Amino acid sequence: MNYPYLQQFRQSLVEWFHQEKRDLPWRNTKDPYKIWVSEVMLQQTRVDTVIPYYHRFIDKYPTIESLANADEEELLKMWEGLGYYSRVRNLQAGVKEVVEKYGGTVPNNRHDLQKLKGVGPYTAGAILSIAYDLPEHAVDGNVMRVLSRVLHRTEDIALPKTRKIFEEAVEQLIHPEYPGDFNQALMDLGAMICTPTSPKCLLCPVREYCLGFMEGDAEQLPVKTKKTKEKHIYYDVYIAVNDGKVVIERRPREGLLANMWQFPMIEKNKPSDNTKEAFELSYNVKIEKILKENFFEQKHVFSHLIWYLRCHLVEIEKTEKTPESVRCVTLKEMESLPVPVPMIKILNFLNQYIFYSWE
DNA sequence: AAGTCGGGGCT
DNA sequence: AGCCCAGACTT
């Protein structure tokens, strides 16, 4: 690797971690199950966002068996608002596999771990090093940023093959006596000191051993190419009321926001399209009265697409024949189901709206 | 290698 | 308005 500060780097980094590490709820345990839960929650998600979810989740599912036996819809509700909902479905699948194949004991080797649903190279390395004290790499975007600066590497971290370069680097750098602390130290350094913009190099415990700092271009690293442009999709959303209840539907079991509940949505080919007839046909309902057209507009940004929602309040005639995925519920009942954030925002507006219309 | 999959916080 | 975040899975 030709990095001359290997010993000093690992030593200084771990010593700094022992002094300055963040006090996080999943750091009070060595239970591999709880470490696993925390790592899945933390995928592409900030620490501050995860903390309350982690407490609620572990409180409800304190053991691996309790999660294996959990109700799917209840589980999805526990994940509501965290995003990337396939994570929780994969987590339960992986946990079930551990209960069935390994008697409830989380595997302590990379080969078996990475075969579990939802466990990739990073999560496997995190569990192995933190819960089992094994010298395994756990390379995420955070670590790639830090090491691209420390080692002054200019490979594009957006490319899958680049991760291997940093994994091999960590295999050499990792502290053999404190592998878990070393990996977590890299993360804390990335979160507190070696931040994406404006890194606090003057406070950095390994500044003397950072090739990027020596070159004076640490802040320009890492090199990362841009992602593809997002798509724009326009929908009419129908709040269809009858006898104090509204129509909702369950999204398909796979894909975006899988299995979550929402108000009926009809895609518009042009933002100016009228979709009332399409709504009546698709959901086998008849609009009796339009109570309020376009009462709420919302733009919702996902990773790779943008929804533009125009919400309409309509009264419908009583309906009988609807598919299993469609229900009529009160707003209160809807709040007990897993609902994606854009629908929660509509729900909140409706509750406000109803409140004011009573004045 | 590129696309899919959330949501929020920061600059 | 764009970028990033304790990534994994599918094609």
Side-chain angles (χ1 to χ4, degrees), chain A residues 67-232:
Chain A
L67 178 55
N69 296 326
D71 172 72
E72 272 193 54
E73 191 155 75
E74 182 181 89
L75 203 52
L76 192 53
K77 183 70 183 175
M78 295 295 288
W79 210 267
E80 180 187 271
L82 252 190
Y84 286 155
Y85 298 97
S86 65
R87 287 185 293 176
V88 71
R89 193 177 47 196
N90 290 338
L91 174 61
Q92 190 187 30
V95 156
K96 282 183 172 176
E97 204 174 331
V98 169
V99 170
E100 288 163 15
K101 283 175 60 177
Y102 303 102
T105 304
V106 178
N108 64 351
N109 65 84
R110 186 177 287 276
H111 177 76
D112 290 342
L113 266 180
Q114 281 193 210
K115 281 200 291 191
L116 299 172
K117 269 288 195 315
V119 179
Y122 166 76
T123 303
I127 294 171
L128 291 170
S129 63
I130 299 171
Y132 291 122
D133 296 310
L134 295 171
E136 296 281 344
H137 58 76
V139 173
D140 60 358
N142 217 343
V143 169
M144 286 197 284
R145 180 180 64 254
V146 171
L147 291 185
S148 72
R149 290 168 176 172
V150 172
L151 304 175
H152 201 270
R153 301 297 299 238
T154 56
E155 291 87 351
D156 180 5
I157 67 166
L159 272 51
K161 62 176 181 182
T162 304
R163 201 191 68 236
K164 294 179 183 170
I165 295 173
F166 291 106
E167 286 174 349
E168 289 171 16
V170 170
E171 286 179 12
Q172 299 186 43
L173 291 170
I174 194 165
H175 198 304
E177 295 181 36
Y178 305 101
D181 287 352
F182 178 87
N183 282 337
Q184 293 181 89
L186 282 178
M187 299 171 199
D188 276 18
L189 193 70
M192 300 191 288
I193 306 286
C194 199
T195 47
T197 59
S198 316
K200 302 167 179 62
C201 295
L202 295 182
L203 299 176
C204 180
V206 292
R207 181 184 63 240
E208 308 170 67
Y209 317 122
C210 180
L211 303 184
F213 182 74
M214 295 176 196
E215 295 287 330
D217 63 351
E219 193 168 357
Q220 320 311 321
L221 296 170
V223 174
K224 187 175 186 180
T225 56
K226 287 169 187 146
K227 57 186 177 210
T228 55
K229 214 173 65 179
E230 62 276 8
K231 291 170 189 161
H232 299 243

